[in-house]
Amino acid sequence: MKMVYVAVGFGGVIGAISRFLLDSLISRTVLPPSSGILIVNLLGCFIIGFFLALKSHRFSAIFRIGFVTGFVGSFTTFSSFSLKALELFMKWGIRTSLLYSTLTIIGGYCFVHLGQSVAAKIEEG
């Protein structure tokens, strides 16, 4: 049972560092403010959809828990999303905040579905 905690912890560290690095990289580009967290959340939604749609025999249970709960859980940062939405509301108003929130949520649904579809095609051979 202790290996599960190690797997989740290790995945969490890697996911958090990955989120920070990708958000930092994107934030230094010409994209609008908060694009980094939006892209990270959409990418995380795709990854979780893709990975969970793959057949379970490909990976051990500990790896799956460490990857999904640890890595993707710390990578997708819903709490960071909420903070960014509030910051946008306070700085730019309700329209900007709602646009950001809507794009994140609807885009997330779409990217989870896309990840599942891509994985299903791979599974088909």
Side-chain angles (χ1 to χ4, degrees):
M1 188 65 156
K2 291 180 183 180
M3 280 303 295
V4 170
Y5 298 119
V6 171
V8 170
F10 181 75
V13 168
I14 301 301
I17 291 169
S18 298
R19 176 188 68 235
F20 174 77
L21 292 174
L22 185 56
D23 181 35
S24 298
L25 176 69
I26 293 167
S27 295
R28 287 184 292 222
T29 67
V30 295
L31 295 173
S34 301
S35 294
I37 293 296
L38 174 62
I39 291 169
V40 164
N41 280 334
L42 294 176
L43 180 59
C45 288
F46 172 83
I47 291 168
I48 203 166
F50 177 85
F51 188 80
L52 291 177
L54 293 175
K55 293 188 174 144
S56 62
H57 70 273
R58 289 181 179 249
F59 305 99
S60 71
I62 289 178
F63 179 83
R64 290 176 69 84
I65 292 168
F67 184 76
V68 172
T69 303
F71 177 80
V72 181
S74 68
F75 181 74
T76 55
T77 67
F78 192 77
S79 59
S80 294
F81 153 72
S82 299
L83 177 61
K84 287 293 181 183
L86 181 60
E87 288 172 351
L88 289 171
F89 173 74
M90 296 181 81
K91 186 172 182 179
W92 299 102
I94 189 72
R95 290 167 120 181
T96 303
S97 180
L98 284 176
L99 176 62
Y100 174 73
S101 298
T102 301
L103 286 172
T104 300
I105 293 167
I106 293 174
Y109 295 154
C110 292
F111 275 75
V112 167
H113 179 69
L114 178 62
Q116 290 174 333
S117 298
V118 170
K121 293 289 184 192
I122 291 171
E123 291 292 335
E124 289 174 4

